[in-house]
Amino acid sequence: MKSEEKNTKVFDSTIIKFIIVGVVNTVVGWVAMFLSLWLLTKMGANHTISYWIPSGVNIVVGSIVSYILNKHFTFQSNTTGKEDIGKFIINILVCYVVAYGIAQPIAKLIFKHAGVMVLKIISLLSGSILFTIINYFGQRFWVFKEDEK
């Protein structure tokens, strides 16, 4: 397949690999996220802190796993860290702000009668799912995009 065809094709073998990597980094990130939620709750943290800190822990931990596995396994990128790590960080930050920024208000609107902890869990889970979808396209078509030759 020509490089330009591969760069414009939305779905190819990378999506399967991305899903596999996603399962791994999601499990690792979610364990870290819910552990930090539990710890913050036990420490009596307020609602805002106990939403943004666990979601941030999820993103940082999951992103480290994601970068390593997606660079080498999914997209088999030959770029150096200097070339792609900045793009990766920008992509993660944009995905994080958009996904979790949207997830919490929508969850509050839809599940307005849910308890505080249930609402936090729904917000965190839906933010994670939205993040994953946006992140695939950012990594696939920007961060690890093959050079057209």
Side-chain angles (χ1 to χ4, degrees), residues 5 11 15-18 24 33 48 51 57 67 71 79-80 91 94 96 98-99 104-105 111 131 135:
E5 287 177 15
F11 299 106
I15 198 156
I16 301 300
K17 291 178 179 181
F18 190 84
V24 172
M33 177 174 67
T48 302
Y51 175 74
V57 168
Y67 176 79
K71 178 180 175 97
T79 59
T80 65
N91 181 63
V94 168
Y96 173 65
V98 169
Q104 190 176 39
F111 301 99
F131 175 89
N135 186 32

PDB file of all heavy atoms in Angstrom, residues 5 11 15-18 24 33 48 51 57 67 71 79-80 91 94 96 98-99 104-105 111 131 135:
ATOM      1  N   GLU A   5      -1.839   6.524   0.508  1.00  0.00           N
ATOM      2  CA  GLU A   5      -3.098   5.796   0.693  1.00  0.00           C
ATOM      3  C   GLU A   5      -3.262   5.400   2.165  1.00  0.00           C
ATOM      4  O   GLU A   5      -4.332   5.505   2.732  1.00  0.00           O
ATOM      5  CB  GLU A   5      -3.126   4.533  -0.167  1.00  0.00           C
ATOM      6  CG  GLU A   5      -3.317   4.790  -1.645  1.00  0.00           C
ATOM      7  CD  GLU A   5      -3.250   3.503  -2.455  1.00  0.00           C
ATOM      8  OE1 GLU A   5      -3.349   2.410  -1.859  1.00  0.00           O
ATOM      9  OE2 GLU A   5      -3.095   3.603  -3.671  1.00  0.00           O
ATOM     10  N   PHE A  11      -9.537   3.385   8.579  1.00  0.00           N
ATOM     11  CA  PHE A  11      -9.478   2.104   9.281  1.00  0.00           C
ATOM     12  C   PHE A  11      -8.553   1.153   8.534  1.00  0.00           C
ATOM     13  O   PHE A  11      -8.739   0.881   7.367  1.00  0.00           O
ATOM     14  CB  PHE A  11     -10.875   1.487   9.406  1.00  0.00           C
ATOM     15  CG  PHE A  11     -11.818   2.349  10.183  1.00  0.00           C
ATOM     16  CD1 PHE A  11     -12.817   3.068   9.553  1.00  0.00           C
ATOM     17  CD2 PHE A  11     -11.693   2.457  11.560  1.00  0.00           C
ATOM     18  CE1 PHE A  11     -13.678   3.872  10.278  1.00  0.00           C
ATOM     19  CE2 PHE A  11     -12.550   3.266  12.290  1.00  0.00           C
ATOM     20  CZ  PHE A  11     -13.540   3.963  11.637  1.00  0.00           C
ATOM     21  N   ILE A  15      -5.935  -0.011  13.692  1.00  0.00           N
ATOM     22  CA  ILE A  15      -7.049   0.142  14.636  1.00  0.00           C
ATOM     23  C   ILE A  15      -7.153  -1.073  15.558  1.00  0.00           C
ATOM     24  O   ILE A  15      -7.434  -0.930  16.754  1.00  0.00           O
ATOM     25  CB  ILE A  15      -8.379   0.468  13.941  1.00  0.00           C
ATOM     26  CG1 ILE A  15      -9.345   1.040  14.970  1.00  0.00           C
ATOM     27  CG2 ILE A  15      -8.975  -0.724  13.257  1.00  0.00           C
ATOM     28  CD1 ILE A  15     -10.429   1.897  14.400  1.00  0.00           C
ATOM     29  N   ILE A  16      -6.892  -2.264  15.037  1.00  0.00           N
ATOM     30  CA  ILE A  16      -6.927  -3.474  15.868  1.00  0.00           C
ATOM     31  C   ILE A  16      -5.805  -3.419  16.905  1.00  0.00           C
ATOM     32  O   ILE A  16      -6.017  -3.685  18.088  1.00  0.00           O
ATOM     33  CB  ILE A  16      -6.792  -4.753  15.005  1.00  0.00           C
ATOM     34  CG1 ILE A  16      -7.928  -4.835  13.983  1.00  0.00           C
ATOM     35  CG2 ILE A  16      -6.721  -6.003  15.885  1.00  0.00           C
ATOM     36  CD1 ILE A  16      -9.319  -4.874  14.569  1.00  0.00           C
ATOM     37  N   LYS A  17      -4.610  -3.052  16.459  1.00  0.00           N
ATOM     38  CA  LYS A  17      -3.480  -2.930  17.385  1.00  0.00           C
ATOM     39  C   LYS A  17      -3.744  -1.836  18.422  1.00  0.00           C
ATOM     40  O   LYS A  17      -3.425  -1.992  19.595  1.00  0.00           O
ATOM     41  CB  LYS A  17      -2.191  -2.629  16.622  1.00  0.00           C
ATOM     42  CG  LYS A  17      -1.710  -3.784  15.776  1.00  0.00           C
ATOM     43  CD  LYS A  17      -0.461  -3.390  15.012  1.00  0.00           C
ATOM     44  CE  LYS A  17       0.071  -4.528  14.183  1.00  0.00           C
ATOM     45  NZ  LYS A  17       1.297  -4.140  13.461  1.00  0.00           N
ATOM     46  N   PHE A  18      -4.339  -0.715  17.977  1.00  0.00           N
ATOM     47  CA  PHE A  18      -4.650   0.385  18.884  1.00  0.00           C
ATOM     48  C   PHE A  18      -5.643  -0.079  19.950  1.00  0.00           C
ATOM     49  O   PHE A  18      -5.524   0.285  21.123  1.00  0.00           O
ATOM     50  CB  PHE A  18      -5.218   1.577  18.103  1.00  0.00           C
ATOM     51  CG  PHE A  18      -5.345   2.832  18.919  1.00  0.00           C
ATOM     52  CD1 PHE A  18      -4.266   3.681  19.082  1.00  0.00           C
ATOM     53  CD2 PHE A  18      -6.557   3.181  19.508  1.00  0.00           C
ATOM     54  CE1 PHE A  18      -4.374   4.856  19.824  1.00  0.00           C
ATOM     55  CE2 PHE A  18      -6.681   4.342  20.251  1.00  0.00           C
ATOM     56  CZ  PHE A  18      -5.589   5.183  20.412  1.00  0.00           C
ATOM     57  N   VAL A  24      -4.879  -2.596  27.269  1.00  0.00           N
ATOM     58  CA  VAL A  24      -3.787  -2.652  28.246  1.00  0.00           C
ATOM     59  C   VAL A  24      -3.662  -1.330  28.994  1.00  0.00           C
ATOM     60  O   VAL A  24      -3.669  -1.294  30.232  1.00  0.00           O
ATOM     61  CB  VAL A  24      -2.446  -3.019  27.565  1.00  0.00           C
ATOM     62  CG1 VAL A  24      -1.285  -2.884  28.537  1.00  0.00           C
ATOM     63  CG2 VAL A  24      -2.505  -4.421  26.992  1.00  0.00           C
ATOM     64  N   MET A  33      -6.569   5.304  38.293  1.00  0.00           N
ATOM     65  CA  MET A  33      -7.618   6.308  38.465  1.00  0.00           C
ATOM     66  C   MET A  33      -8.523   5.980  39.653  1.00  0.00           C
ATOM     67  O   MET A  33      -8.755   6.831  40.519  1.00  0.00           O
ATOM     68  CB  MET A  33      -8.463   6.420  37.191  1.00  0.00           C
ATOM     69  CG  MET A  33      -9.628   7.387  37.290  1.00  0.00           C
ATOM     70  SD  MET A  33     -10.487   7.628  35.705  1.00  0.00           S
ATOM     71  CE  MET A  33     -11.225   6.023  35.400  1.00  0.00           C
ATOM     72  N   THR A  48     -14.635  18.451  43.217  1.00  0.00           N
ATOM     73  CA  THR A  48     -13.822  18.881  42.079  1.00  0.00           C
ATOM     74  C   THR A  48     -12.471  18.187  42.085  1.00  0.00           C
ATOM     75  O   THR A  48     -12.034  17.662  41.061  1.00  0.00           O
ATOM     76  CB  THR A  48     -13.627  20.414  42.096  1.00  0.00           C
ATOM     77  OG1 THR A  48     -14.920  21.029  42.068  1.00  0.00           O
ATOM     78  CG2 THR A  48     -12.811  20.871  40.913  1.00  0.00           C
ATOM     79  N   TYR A  51     -12.490  14.520  41.126  1.00  0.00           N
ATOM     80  CA  TYR A  51     -12.792  14.216  39.725  1.00  0.00           C
ATOM     81  C   TYR A  51     -11.554  14.449  38.863  1.00  0.00           C
ATOM     82  O   TYR A  51     -11.115  13.578  38.135  1.00  0.00           O
ATOM     83  CB  TYR A  51     -13.951  15.077  39.203  1.00  0.00           C
ATOM     84  CG  TYR A  51     -14.233  14.880  37.726  1.00  0.00           C
ATOM     85  CD1 TYR A  51     -14.856  13.726  37.287  1.00  0.00           C
ATOM     86  CD2 TYR A  51     -13.857  15.825  36.781  1.00  0.00           C
ATOM     87  CE1 TYR A  51     -15.108  13.523  35.940  1.00  0.00           C
ATOM     88  CE2 TYR A  51     -14.106  15.644  35.442  1.00  0.00           C
ATOM     89  CZ  TYR A  51     -14.742  14.491  35.013  1.00  0.00           C
ATOM     90  OH  TYR A  51     -14.983  14.288  33.677  1.00  0.00           O
ATOM     91  N   VAL A  57      -4.554  11.335  36.736  1.00  0.00           N
ATOM     92  CA  VAL A  57      -3.710  10.170  37.011  1.00  0.00           C
ATOM     93  C   VAL A  57      -3.913   9.122  35.923  1.00  0.00           C
ATOM     94  O   VAL A  57      -2.951   8.546  35.402  1.00  0.00           O
ATOM     95  CB  VAL A  57      -4.011   9.588  38.416  1.00  0.00           C
ATOM     96  CG1 VAL A  57      -3.373   8.216  38.602  1.00  0.00           C
ATOM     97  CG2 VAL A  57      -3.537  10.554  39.499  1.00  0.00           C
ATOM     98  N   TYR A  67       2.065   5.622  24.785  1.00  0.00           N
ATOM     99  CA  TYR A  67       3.144   6.134  23.931  1.00  0.00           C
ATOM    100  C   TYR A  67       4.113   5.018  23.547  1.00  0.00           C
ATOM    101  O   TYR A  67       4.424   4.817  22.375  1.00  0.00           O
ATOM    102  CB  TYR A  67       3.901   7.266  24.620  1.00  0.00           C
ATOM    103  CG  TYR A  67       5.084   7.755  23.813  1.00  0.00           C
ATOM    104  CD1 TYR A  67       4.897   8.620  22.747  1.00  0.00           C
ATOM    105  CD2 TYR A  67       6.370   7.323  24.096  1.00  0.00           C
ATOM    106  CE1 TYR A  67       5.971   9.055  21.981  1.00  0.00           C
ATOM    107  CE2 TYR A  67       7.448   7.753  23.341  1.00  0.00           C
ATOM    108  CZ  TYR A  67       7.247   8.615  22.288  1.00  0.00           C
ATOM    109  OH  TYR A  67       8.312   9.031  21.530  1.00  0.00           O
ATOM    110  N   LYS A  71       3.798   3.627  19.736  1.00  0.00           N
ATOM    111  CA  LYS A  71       4.948   4.010  18.898  1.00  0.00           C
ATOM    112  C   LYS A  71       5.603   2.774  18.288  1.00  0.00           C
ATOM    113  O   LYS A  71       5.878   2.739  17.092  1.00  0.00           O
ATOM    114  CB  LYS A  71       5.969   4.796  19.705  1.00  0.00           C
ATOM    115  CG  LYS A  71       7.201   5.172  18.887  1.00  0.00           C
ATOM    116  CD  LYS A  71       8.193   5.958  19.707  1.00  0.00           C
ATOM    117  CE  LYS A  71       9.454   6.214  18.920  1.00  0.00           C
ATOM    118  NZ  LYS A  71       9.499   7.502  18.283  1.00  0.00           N
ATOM    119  N   THR A  79      10.244   7.515  14.065  1.00  0.00           N
ATOM    120  CA  THR A  79      10.620   8.853  14.496  1.00  0.00           C
ATOM    121  C   THR A  79      11.346   8.786  15.830  1.00  0.00           C
ATOM    122  O   THR A  79      11.176   7.845  16.598  1.00  0.00           O
ATOM    123  CB  THR A  79       9.376   9.754  14.650  1.00  0.00           C
ATOM    124  OG1 THR A  79       8.502   9.163  15.616  1.00  0.00           O
ATOM    125  CG2 THR A  79       8.639   9.929  13.331  1.00  0.00           C
ATOM    126  N   THR A  80      12.128   9.810  16.086  1.00  0.00           N
ATOM    127  CA  THR A  80      12.796   9.887  17.387  1.00  0.00           C
ATOM    128  C   THR A  80      11.840  10.533  18.371  1.00  0.00           C
ATOM    129  O   THR A  80      10.862  11.167  17.973  1.00  0.00           O
ATOM    130  CB  THR A  80      14.076  10.748  17.298  1.00  0.00           C
ATOM    131  OG1 THR A  80      13.696  12.085  16.992  1.00  0.00           O
ATOM    132  CG2 THR A  80      15.042  10.210  16.260  1.00  0.00           C
ATOM    133  N   ASN A  91      -1.381  16.212  21.855  1.00  0.00           N
ATOM    134  CA  ASN A  91      -2.555  15.400  21.526  1.00  0.00           C
ATOM    135  C   ASN A  91      -3.250  14.910  22.790  1.00  0.00           C
ATOM    136  O   ASN A  91      -4.473  15.018  22.923  1.00  0.00           O
ATOM    137  CB  ASN A  91      -2.133  14.214  20.652  1.00  0.00           C
ATOM    138  CG  ASN A  91      -3.296  13.340  20.254  1.00  0.00           C
ATOM    139  OD1 ASN A  91      -4.204  13.775  19.559  1.00  0.00           O
ATOM    140  ND2 ASN A  91      -3.265  12.099  20.695  1.00  0.00           N
ATOM    141  N   VAL A  94      -5.013  17.887  24.651  1.00  0.00           N
ATOM    142  CA  VAL A  94      -6.240  18.316  23.959  1.00  0.00           C
ATOM    143  C   VAL A  94      -7.341  17.282  24.158  1.00  0.00           C
ATOM    144  O   VAL A  94      -8.481  17.628  24.497  1.00  0.00           O
ATOM    145  CB  VAL A  94      -5.968  18.579  22.462  1.00  0.00           C
ATOM    146  CG1 VAL A  94      -7.264  18.741  21.680  1.00  0.00           C
ATOM    147  CG2 VAL A  94      -5.081  19.806  22.284  1.00  0.00           C
ATOM    148  N   TYR A  96      -7.638  15.122  26.542  1.00  0.00           N
ATOM    149  CA  TYR A  96      -8.009  15.119  27.954  1.00  0.00           C
ATOM    150  C   TYR A  96      -8.981  16.249  28.276  1.00  0.00           C
ATOM    151  O   TYR A  96     -10.055  16.023  28.841  1.00  0.00           O
ATOM    152  CB  TYR A  96      -6.750  15.233  28.818  1.00  0.00           C
ATOM    153  CG  TYR A  96      -7.003  15.411  30.293  1.00  0.00           C
ATOM    154  CD1 TYR A  96      -7.615  14.416  31.042  1.00  0.00           C
ATOM    155  CD2 TYR A  96      -6.630  16.580  30.952  1.00  0.00           C
ATOM    156  CE1 TYR A  96      -7.836  14.573  32.399  1.00  0.00           C
ATOM    157  CE2 TYR A  96      -6.844  16.744  32.305  1.00  0.00           C
ATOM    158  CZ  TYR A  96      -7.450  15.736  33.022  1.00  0.00           C
ATOM    159  OH  TYR A  96      -7.679  15.899  34.361  1.00  0.00           O
ATOM    160  N   VAL A  98     -10.819  18.102  26.257  1.00  0.00           N
ATOM    161  CA  VAL A  98     -12.083  17.976  25.515  1.00  0.00           C
ATOM    162  C   VAL A  98     -12.939  16.850  26.104  1.00  0.00           C
ATOM    163  O   VAL A  98     -14.112  17.053  26.440  1.00  0.00           O
ATOM    164  CB  VAL A  98     -11.825  17.752  24.006  1.00  0.00           C
ATOM    165  CG1 VAL A  98     -13.097  17.361  23.277  1.00  0.00           C
ATOM    166  CG2 VAL A  98     -11.198  18.994  23.381  1.00  0.00           C
ATOM    167  N   ALA A  99     -12.368  15.658  26.227  1.00  0.00           N
ATOM    168  CA  ALA A  99     -13.154  14.493  26.653  1.00  0.00           C
ATOM    169  C   ALA A  99     -13.699  14.625  28.069  1.00  0.00           C
ATOM    170  O   ALA A  99     -14.896  14.450  28.312  1.00  0.00           O
ATOM    171  CB  ALA A  99     -12.298  13.222  26.543  1.00  0.00           C
ATOM    172  N   GLN A 104     -18.198  15.333  32.161  1.00  0.00           N
ATOM    173  CA  GLN A 104     -18.804  15.638  33.456  1.00  0.00           C
ATOM    174  C   GLN A 104     -20.104  16.440  33.329  1.00  0.00           C
ATOM    175  O   GLN A 104     -21.113  16.049  33.927  1.00  0.00           O
ATOM    176  CB  GLN A 104     -17.804  16.334  34.371  1.00  0.00           C
ATOM    177  CG  GLN A 104     -18.330  16.446  35.793  1.00  0.00           C
ATOM    178  CD  GLN A 104     -17.303  17.040  36.735  1.00  0.00           C
ATOM    179  OE1 GLN A 104     -16.584  17.961  36.377  1.00  0.00           O
ATOM    180  NE2 GLN A 104     -17.242  16.514  37.942  1.00  0.00           N
ATOM    181  N   PRO A 105     -20.148  17.524  32.563  1.00  0.00           N
ATOM    182  CA  PRO A 105     -21.416  18.264  32.460  1.00  0.00           C
ATOM    183  C   PRO A 105     -22.542  17.445  31.810  1.00  0.00           C
ATOM    184  O   PRO A 105     -23.690  17.538  32.224  1.00  0.00           O
ATOM    185  CB  PRO A 105     -21.081  19.486  31.607  1.00  0.00           C
ATOM    186  CG  PRO A 105     -19.615  19.537  31.466  1.00  0.00           C
ATOM    187  CD  PRO A 105     -19.055  18.230  31.916  1.00  0.00           C
ATOM    188  N   PHE A 111     -27.759  12.282  34.230  1.00  0.00           N
ATOM    189  CA  PHE A 111     -27.936  11.515  35.470  1.00  0.00           C
ATOM    190  C   PHE A 111     -28.063  12.438  36.678  1.00  0.00           C
ATOM    191  O   PHE A 111     -27.442  12.215  37.718  1.00  0.00           O
ATOM    192  CB  PHE A 111     -26.752  10.549  35.647  1.00  0.00           C
ATOM    193  CG  PHE A 111     -26.592   9.581  34.521  1.00  0.00           C
ATOM    194  CD1 PHE A 111     -25.650   9.812  33.521  1.00  0.00           C
ATOM    195  CD2 PHE A 111     -27.383   8.450  34.442  1.00  0.00           C
ATOM    196  CE1 PHE A 111     -25.491   8.918  32.468  1.00  0.00           C
ATOM    197  CE2 PHE A 111     -27.239   7.551  33.395  1.00  0.00           C
ATOM    198  CZ  PHE A 111     -26.291   7.784  32.401  1.00  0.00           C
ATOM    199  N   PHE A 131     -12.215  10.035  25.362  1.00  0.00           N
ATOM    200  CA  PHE A 131     -10.790  10.286  25.218  1.00  0.00           C
ATOM    201  C   PHE A 131     -10.162   9.289  24.248  1.00  0.00           C
ATOM    202  O   PHE A 131      -9.379   9.653  23.373  1.00  0.00           O
ATOM    203  CB  PHE A 131     -10.102  10.198  26.585  1.00  0.00           C
ATOM    204  CG  PHE A 131      -8.613  10.333  26.515  1.00  0.00           C
ATOM    205  CD1 PHE A 131      -8.009  11.576  26.595  1.00  0.00           C
ATOM    206  CD2 PHE A 131      -7.814   9.213  26.356  1.00  0.00           C
ATOM    207  CE1 PHE A 131      -6.631  11.698  26.517  1.00  0.00           C
ATOM    208  CE2 PHE A 131      -6.439   9.329  26.284  1.00  0.00           C
ATOM    209  CZ  PHE A 131      -5.845  10.575  26.362  1.00  0.00           C
ATOM    210  N   ASN A 135      -8.349  10.278  20.820  1.00  0.00           N
ATOM    211  CA  ASN A 135      -6.923   9.992  20.869  1.00  0.00           C
ATOM    212  C   ASN A 135      -6.459   9.141  19.684  1.00  0.00           C
ATOM    213  O   ASN A 135      -5.381   9.363  19.135  1.00  0.00           O
ATOM    214  CB  ASN A 135      -6.589   9.316  22.193  1.00  0.00           C
ATOM    215  CG  ASN A 135      -5.120   9.094  22.410  1.00  0.00           C
ATOM    216  OD1 ASN A 135      -4.276   9.863  21.961  1.00  0.00           O
ATOM    217  ND2 ASN A 135      -4.792   8.032  23.107  1.00  0.00           N
TER     218      ASN A 135
END
